[in-house]
Amino acid sequence: MKPNLKAIRKLRVYPEDLKKELVATFESGKFSVLQLEKLYGIPNVSIYNWIYKYSSFNDKGYRVMESKSSTSNKLKELSQKVKDLEQTIGQKQIMIDYLEKMIELAKTDLNIDIKKNYSTPPSAGSASAKKS
C-alpha cells in the first residue's frame, strides 16, 4: 500500500505585495539588495528580477544597477554615524559621572542634600504670601 504523498514544490512563491514592497524599499534607498536579502532571507537574484519587473524606472527606459561602491559608501556612512553616536554617549556619561560626584561632594563637605528626598513634606510657602 502506497502512502498518499504530494509532490513538494522546490520553488518558493512570494506574494505580489511583498515583491512590490521590497522594490519600493530598494528604490527609496533605505536598503540595498544585499541588505534586503539578509533581512528577508530571499535570494538576491529574485530581488533583482522583481526590481526589473516592478521598478518604476523601467517605465522610463532605465535599468537599475547597484554598484558595490554605493553599498560600501552607505556602510561607511552608517559606521561613521555609529562612531559619532558612541562618542556622544561617552560625553553624556562623563557629564553624568561629574554631576553625581558634585552631588556627593556637596553632601559630604557642605552638608547639602541635593538629591530629592521623597519623605520630606511639601513646603507651606513663604509667610508673607499667606493671607489672613
Side-chain angles (χ1 to χ4, degrees), residues 2-20:
K2 220 175 189 183
N4 188 7
L5 298 176
K6 283 187 171 182
I8 298 174
R9 291 177 84 172
K10 294 187 180 191
L11 297 175
R12 292 187 179 188
V13 178
Y14 298 100
E16 197 81 15
D17 56 341
L18 174 68
K19 296 175 186 179
K20 290 180 180 178

Side-chain angles (χ1 to χ4, degrees), residues 19 24 28-29 35 38 42 47 49 55 63 85 87 103-104 106-107 110 120-121 132:
K19 296 175 186 179
S28 70
Q35 291 169 333
K38 289 179 182 178
I42 299 172
I47 297 172
N49 287 335
S55 177
R63 177 86 187 231
L85 290 173
Q87 181 181 6
I103 290 171
E104 182 182 326
K107 185 175 182 181
L110 304 173
T120 306
S132 297

Side-chain angles (χ1 to χ4, degrees), residues 59-110:
D59 297 337
K60 300 172 185 169
Y62 295 110
R63 177 86 187 231
V64 177
M65 300 279 297
E66 183 182 24
S67 66
K68 291 191 181 211
S69 63
S70 69
T71 304
S72 62
N73 287 342
K74 216 182 268 187
L75 185 61
K76 286 178 186 176
E77 289 173 5
L78 290 174
S79 63
Q80 182 61 40
K81 189 172 184 179
V82 167
K83 286 179 185 176
D84 293 342
L85 290 173
E86 286 175 346
Q87 181 181 6
T88 304
I89 289 173
Q91 291 171 348
K92 296 296 181 186
Q93 186 62 45
I94 290 171
M95 183 59 111
I96 290 170
D97 293 342
Y98 171 75
L99 293 174
E100 286 179 350
K101 186 66 175 174
M102 293 300 294
I103 290 171
E104 182 182 326
L105 288 174
K107 185 175 182 181
T108 57
D109 294 349
L110 304 173

Side-chain angles (χ1 to χ4, degrees), residues 23 44-55 58 63:
V23 171
N44 63 6
V45 174
S46 298
I47 297 172
Y48 278 116
N49 287 335
W50 298 340
I51 290 170
Y52 182 72
K53 186 175 180 181
Y54 299 110
S55 177
N58 286 340
R63 177 86 187 231

